[in-house]
Amino acid sequence: MNFLSLNKIFGQREKKLLKIIANHKKKLFLAMFFMIIVAGATAATAYIIKPMLDDIFINKDKTKLFFIPLVTILIFFLKGGGTYAQEYLMNYVGEEIIREFRNSLYEKIIDLPLSFFHEQKTGTLMSRITNDVNIVKSMVSIAVTSLLKDVFTVIGLIIVILYMDWKLAIGAFAILPMAFYPILIFGRRVRKYSTSYQEAMARLNIFLYETFSGIKILKTFTMEEFEKKRFYIKTHELFKFEMKSAIAKTLSSPVMEFLGGLGIAFVVWFGGSRVVAGISTPGTFFSFLTAVMMIYDPVKRLSRLNSTVQEGLAAINRIFDVVERETHIKELKKPILLKENSLKVEFKDVSFAYDLSEKFVLNNINFKVESGNIIAIVGVSGGGKTSLVNLIPRFYDISHGNIFIGDHNIKDIALTSLRQKISIVTQEPILFNETVTDNIRYGRIGASDEDVKIAAKAAYAHDFIEKFPKGYNTFVGELGNRLSGGEKQRLCIARALIKNAPILILDEATSSLDAESEKLVQKALVNLMKGRTTFVIAHRLSTIDHATQIIVLKNGKLIEKGTHNQLMKDKKEYFKLQNMQNVRKMDMKH
Ligand SMILES: Nc1ncnc2c1ncn2[C@@H]1O[C@H](COP(=O)(O)OP(=O)(O)OP(=O)(O)O)[C@@H](O)[C@H]1O
Ligand SMILES: [Mg+2]
């Protein structure tokens, strides 16, 4: 095989995998050493039959009667010990490779930009880390073990076979491949169904994840029966693939056994006639037969090797598809680190589309917020408010135009430095299954318990936290759905507060609060906004009283800009929005 064709078989990814495997070469070499011992011991087991029969049973040799059992003990001791050592080492290497893959997958996924998570289902990503790495591991351990141990064993046994009776061997080698051929056929089928099974299993995982996490919606729409039926379809699919592969597997062994029996019958007839004719001895014959029977298992594994490797390579491809993904958000080689603590923000001709093939959700946006000022962003739903603020921490890259923070283009600033200067309360309050304290401290790891309490007080969260069974040490998960929307929001505000960043983004931060708590939180926010460059998105226009500037977004365009009084005088979109709210308030009073 020349180098070129080797290159074709081993693509970049396979080479990378080989490199990863090669990192463990010390253990692999040690494992190889034990594999050779096991292979030698296996061949010796077949070999020893000859002196056992010929010398003990036929020639009645007394020293051999003592000597051969001792050798047998030694052979089996070496075989057992070697198998243990080799399997221990191979498992160790396999598990290490799994761990390395899991870590690099998680590292990569966590670092990928948000847009990646819009196109990939959470369940799919989870199955990369849980399932696919296992497939790779079994490929590595089976492939390496087969290639070394089984190849050595087959070589050892063939030597025994040839040594015993090469004429008989030639006859047997002509007939045995016929017995091995069906394994290939059945193996291919088993592999096809097991791939389908894996894929169906991944779909089932995604389904489970979605129905369990959306259980409330499922129940609201009384979709229990509907989902149960969809689930039955999925389990039926799994059942079908499992049965088909079970049939292929179980059919293969009787067929194999029958063909093997034919082969053995031939060996008995041909070999037996040579013993009867006095050309060969019974010991030679049985030693030969034992070796032929022992060669069956390693050859079976070797014939399966191809499909195991194919499956593993498919999994490796899926893994590398994630690991090798280009991060779209690019940083300069020497990005700027933001040192200032008061930062103005300016949008210059900013246009943005989530996907280059899709329509722009923001068009030529221009505005400027002086350091420490508050800007309110209003407009009907879907106008592009959330999209606009998401551009500031570079969750997505702008399609055209530029955003400046302080005097720097955000593209030139180190991502972590940029994001450290920005505090966000997102539209959906998201908490982790940690304690209340840990959730708030997420804003600034290293904040003292006292700081956490101060932040909670400022966010008007302290009182309800105190009422939890374990107070600040209550796990959010233990509370289950006991946290109200407003309580969750206030915890998120406390988390943003403790970060103490010069730029603050509040996306509907008070939308789930009743009028009374809103007033309280409003007070907290006023404290929070002081001295910070703040972006406030609010449907309720009362929350934007403190804004020095208001911009109105509609269909991705900035259609109005000014102070509350100016915009009221203009009597355009903002005026309409205000009036609609007032009318609604009047309606409620009636
Ligand atoms: N991840 C995304 N991929 C593609 N399009 C998106 C994505 N997120 C939002 N959009 C689209 O961008 C437009 C603006 O959405 P955006 O969330 O910015 O509106 P909004 O003004 O914040 O609305 P709301 O007041 O309802 O929160 C919408 O048409 C929406 O469908
Ligand atoms: Mg929004």
Side-chain angles (χ1 to χ4, degrees), residues 118 354 358 361 380-387 396 427 508 539:
H118 297 315
Y354 279 99
E358 284 177 34
V361 294
V380 287
S381 181
K385 304 181 292 293
T386 301
S387 307
Y396 305 94
Q427 200 160 2
E508 305 281 0
H539 275 134

